[in-house]
Amino acid sequence: MRPIKIENGEVWVLDQRLLPTREKWTKISSAEDAYNAIKTMVVRGAPLIGVVAAYGLALTAKKVKDVSEYIKIGEWLKTARPTAINLMWAVDRVLNSSKDEVNFVKAWEEASKIFNEELENAKKIGENGEPLFKDGDTVLTHCNAGALATVDYGTALAPLRVAKEKGKKIKVFATETRPVMQGARLTTYELAKDGFDVTLIADTAVGLTMMKGYINKVIVGADRVLKDGTTINKIGTFQVATLAKRFNIPFYVALPSSTLDLKSKVEDVVIEERPSEEIFYIKGKRIAPRGIKAFNPAFDITPPELITAIITEKGVYYPPFNFT
Ligand code: MRU
């Protein structure tokens, strides 16, 4: 299941806000289209937003000839969302593909390279992570780190897909992932399409589900992973990891190297805060009283001591993490 199509030089993305009820494709023709699609979460998931930004900027290289204006557009595109490092990384790769000129051919080639690398990375993450999962496992995942968050296969879901291909029976529990519901809307959708046995639970049910012994492994994706393994991922990940530790359940994180940020310190990472409306309203209907405040962070921080292993396209890393 691919959330992005490249056809005759055109870039089309699946509008993830409408899933699972509608499959609507939207065309990306410029950096501005990419910015809007990323900011409004038409596309989401760290690897996918990097790829969409790369193509959007490349398409702008067709129209803009002035280098400083082009760089300015690239820098602006990086601000569409602040947390997933893939966005900044992909824009920089396209900007650096041609020095002192705006070169559409080179920019497009670089964007395509990023696309193909992410496709390969996802497959390799699947192969590297697969041996960690046994026939009969029931695995909990949070948010959507599947095909819809990448170019295909996914990061966290890739090892589960490979395990299934190899004939292992893997059941999945997906958290609904309030407030944007990536788990309820996207993870269950793509896994059910692939024939997985999927159970949806409320985010608040993780503790009891683990206590009852229903889960024996957890795997999640990441928006940014720091040098020491500190993992920044969808809000709620830290709670899931803390509970997994409490119940001695292995907690895995899967990501491509494009999600690694070996330079930043944890205090440098900007945790995106999204509009209050996302938690004040459900399907356009206000559910909270007026006159109150909201705090709506989109991501949280899981310290390395809660992580059993980190899977990338290069292999499986165990603590103390060292990605070099
Ligand atoms: O806000 P989102 O939907 O972009 O957040 C996505 C996540 O947090 C995913 O877990 C992460 O990007 C990994 S995607 C392979």
Side-chain angles (χ1 to χ4, degrees):
M1 161 171 263
R2 290 198 181 181
I4 177 166
K5 291 193 285 206
I6 316 296
E7 286 172 354
N8 308 319
E10 290 182 352
V11 179
W12 293 85
V13 294
L14 189 55
D15 188 339
Q16 300 197 22
R17 298 168 306 177
L18 307 176
L19 291 174
T21 31
R22 258 181 83 199
E23 285 191 15
K24 180 181 168 237
W25 290 84
T26 300
K27 193 171 163 186
I28 302 292
S29 304
S30 62
E32 194 181 357
D33 287 350
Y35 178 95
N36 291 331
I38 293 165
K39 194 169 180 68
T40 61
M41 296 179 76
V42 167
V43 292
R44 33 66 52 198
L48 181 62
I49 65 179
V51 170
V52 171
Y55 276 116
L57 185 60
L59 288 163
T60 283
K62 238 183 191 172
K63 302 164 195 166
V64 171
K65 293 295 150 232
D66 180 65
V67 181
S68 56
E69 192 189 341
Y70 180 61
I71 294 172
K72 226 163 119 186
I73 293 170
E75 294 303 323
W76 167 75
L77 180 53
K78 286 185 196 173
T79 65
R81 291 188 76 186
T83 309
I85 191 79
N86 304 61
L87 173 60
M88 300 73 180
W89 169 88
V91 168
D92 280 337
R93 271 190 60 170
V94 174
L95 286 176
N96 293 333
S97 67
S98 59
K99 288 264 177 260
D100 309 318
E101 58 161 351
V102 184
N103 186 317
F104 165 68
V105 176
K106 285 187 181 164
W108 182 266
E109 267 174 23
E110 194 63 24
S112 305
K113 232 168 126 183
I114 294 172
F115 178 105
N116 289 320
E117 282 172 19
E118 291 298 26
L119 197 56
E120 279 310 303
N121 288 344
K123 285 188 206 163
K124 285 191 191 138
I125 290 168
E127 285 158 19
N128 292 340
E130 179 273 329
L132 299 169
F133 298 90
K134 306 271 170 285
D135 188 35
D137 274 351
T138 301
V139 182
L140 183 135
T141 190
H142 183 61
C143 192
N144 173 263
L148 290 164
T150 59
V151 170
D152 209 342
Y153 306 106
T155 54
L157 300 191
L160 309 185
R161 289 201 154 97
V162 177
K164 187 168 182 290
E165 277 161 26
K166 293 201 170 173
K168 295 181 185 172
K169 286 207 168 42
I170 307 278
K171 291 184 182 165
V172 183
F173 272 57
T175 54
E176 57 181 355
T177 319
R178 284 273 296 144
V180 179
M181 301 293 192
Q182 291 93 333
R185 296 186 303 105
L186 308 175
T187 299
T188 55
Y189 173 69
E190 62 167 88
L191 288 178
K193 264 197 169 191
D194 275 2
F196 275 90
D197 177 325
V198 199
T199 303
L200 176 65
I201 57 168
D203 299 325
T204 42
V206 173
L208 185 86
T209 309
M210 288 182 174
M211 185 185 270
K212 281 194 168 284
Y214 293 166
I215 307 296
N216 61 337
K217 272 155 205 167
V218 176
I219 188 163
V220 297
D223 289 80
R224 204 187 277 230
V225 170
L226 308 185
K227 202 174 161 190
D228 66 350
T230 297
T231 292
I232 294 103
N233 190 47
K234 179 53 53 195
I235 191 73
T237 303
F238 174 47
Q239 289 172 194
V240 175
T242 304
L243 283 162
K245 187 77 163 183
R246 167 74 176 73
F247 292 104
N248 285 319
I249 297 169
F251 182 91
Y252 301 116
V253 182
L255 55 131
S257 294
S258 51
T259 303
L260 284 175
D261 175 358
L262 303 179
K263 289 192 192 131
S264 300
K265 295 195 190 103
V266 69
E267 55 272 25
D268 302 332
V269 179
V270 178
I271 301 292
E272 177 182 10
E273 286 185 32
R274 298 202 48 90
S276 309
E277 284 68 29
E278 279 183 355
I279 48 177
F280 281 159
Y281 291 82
I282 291 180
K283 288 200 157 189
K285 193 173 178 323
R286 189 162 178 119
I287 47 102
R290 297 196 184 270
I292 60 163
K293 292 183 281 187
F295 174 51
N296 185 21
F299 301 98
D300 65 20
I301 301 162
T302 299
E305 60 269 23
L306 298 180
I307 301 170
T308 310
I310 294 181
I311 307 153
T312 78
E313 75 280 7
K314 298 196 175 129
V316 180
Y317 299 83
Y318 292 90
F321 299 109
N322 178 3
F323 303 104
T324 47

